[in-house]
Amino acid sequence: MADFEIKNGVAVIPEGTTTIGMRAFSGCSSLQSITIPESVTEIGESAFFDCRALTDVTIPDSVTGIGKCAFGDCDSLANLQIPAGVTAIGASAFDGCKQLKEISIPDGITTIEDGVFCGCESLTDVVIPDSVTGIGNYAFRACRSLKSVTIPDSVTYIGAGAFSF
């Protein structure tokens, strides 16, 4: 396994790393920014869960999957771009990202899983791509600032409480 360090709130994951595993950085209270190399294809379950100081993440185009609760409770996360190659985002992946203002959902996503953006209180606009056929339970629950949602004709299922509160 390659070495990495968190220095001055910044983590740089070495090139050659292919997966950020389950709970790899979970609870790192000093982590503010992360640089993920192009060699990474998967961000595991709860990889950055509860990294409350994390404000900025750059996810490279090589990533195709973001695990369940990967960025859950990263309540300072304000800047995030999900690359076009991502085809799977796990349930509650961004649950509790209170500062997240905008999100771009890639065309490869077919289902917006349960609770993915639940508690994203600063989220204002969402455009759901034509590739999506289902929106899970509580997917956008408690997105109190949400003013505009574009849902395409391709969506055949909207889960319980998907846009509640």
Side-chain angles (χ1 to χ4, degrees), residues 28-29 31 48 50-55 73-77 98:
C28 287
S29 60
L31 184 62
F48 298 98
D50 199 32
C51 291
R52 295 189 182 267
L54 186 62
T55 59
D73 286 342
C74 291
D75 52 13
S76 297
L77 186 60
K98 295 177 183 176

Side-chain angles (χ1 to χ4, degrees), residues 20-28 31 42-51 54 66-74 90-94:
I20 300 173
M22 178 188 258
R23 297 188 179 119
F25 292 88
S26 182
C28 287
L31 184 62
E42 188 76 28
I43 298 173
E45 182 176 326
S46 300
F48 298 98
F49 181 79
D50 199 32
C51 291
L54 186 62
I66 299 172
K68 177 180 176 184
C69 299
F71 295 94
D73 286 342
C74 291
S92 302
F94 302 100

Side-chain angles (χ1 to χ4, degrees), residues 26 33 35 42 46 58 63 71-72 83 86 93 98 102-103 127-128 140 154 156 158 164-165:
S26 182
S33 178
T35 301
E42 188 76 28
S46 300
T58 301
V63 172
F71 295 94
V86 171
K98 295 177 183 176
E102 58 182 63
I103 195 77
V127 176
I128 298 171
F140 295 94
S154 60
T156 59
I158 298 176
S164 61
F165 297 99

Side-chain angles (χ1 to χ4, degrees), residues 51-154:
C51 291
R52 295 189 182 267
L54 186 62
T55 59
D56 191 40
V57 175
T58 301
I59 300 174
D61 291 337
S62 58
V63 172
T64 59
I66 299 172
K68 177 180 176 184
C69 299
F71 295 94
D73 286 342
C74 291
D75 52 13
S76 297
L77 186 60
N79 299 311
L80 177 72
Q81 198 66 14
I82 300 173
V86 171
T87 57
I89 301 174
S92 302
F94 302 100
D95 184 355
C97 292
K98 295 177 183 176
Q99 299 303 313
L100 197 59
K101 292 183 176 127
E102 58 182 63
I103 195 77
S104 175
I105 301 169
D107 284 331
I109 300 295
T110 58
T111 301
I112 296 175
E113 298 291 341
D114 294 348
V116 168
F117 301 106
C118 180
C120 292
E121 296 175 358
S122 299
L123 193 61
T124 58
D125 301 290
V126 174
V127 176
I128 298 171
D130 291 336
S131 59
V132 173
T133 59
I135 300 171
N137 299 331
Y138 310 106
F140 295 94
R141 182 180 191 272
C143 292
R144 290 169 168 53
S145 298
L146 197 58
K147 294 179 179 154
S148 172
V149 179
T150 303
I151 301 173
D153 292 338
S154 60

